[in-house]
Amino acid sequence: AAYERMLARVERSRVPGARGRVAVLHASAPSEADLLCARLRRDDSLQLFVNEFGPVMEAHTGPGLVGLAWWWDPTP
């Protein structure tokens, strides 16, 4: 359900005509990040970046954390 909420927030924030830039971040959870990427790739207007959280974030959350950061770029 958390993935659905994250994806819904991206969609609700959409800026008409803008290109979306989405960073998929994970803490030792590449498979889970891939699941989110697969869902996001359905939208051709999104450019995806995948990276790991740093060790400090993982130390506080533990492995398995997955998150999104995004912004809408109005330039073509």
Side-chain angles (χ1 to χ4, degrees):
Y3 290 0
E4 295 303 321
R5 288 192 304 271
M6 286 191 284
L7 295 167
R9 284 186 178 231
V10 171
E11 189 56 38
R12 280 195 312 265
S13 72
R14 182 177 292 277
V15 175
R19 181 161 180 81
R21 315 290 185 183
V22 181
V24 179
L25 304 162
H26 68 88
S28 298
S31 298
E32 290 81 356
D34 286 345
L35 290 173
L36 271 177
C37 285
R39 296 284 302 277
L40 291 162
R41 281 191 188 102
R42 297 177 187 172
D43 185 340
D44 292 337
S45 71
L46 299 177
Q47 181 179 9
L48 301 179
F49 306 90
V50 180
N51 207 347
E52 288 189 63
F53 281 114
V56 172
M57 181 66 91
E58 189 168 346
H60 287 283
T61 65
L65 177 69
V66 179
L68 299 176
W70 65 92
W71 65 100
W72 298 98
D73 187 354
T75 59

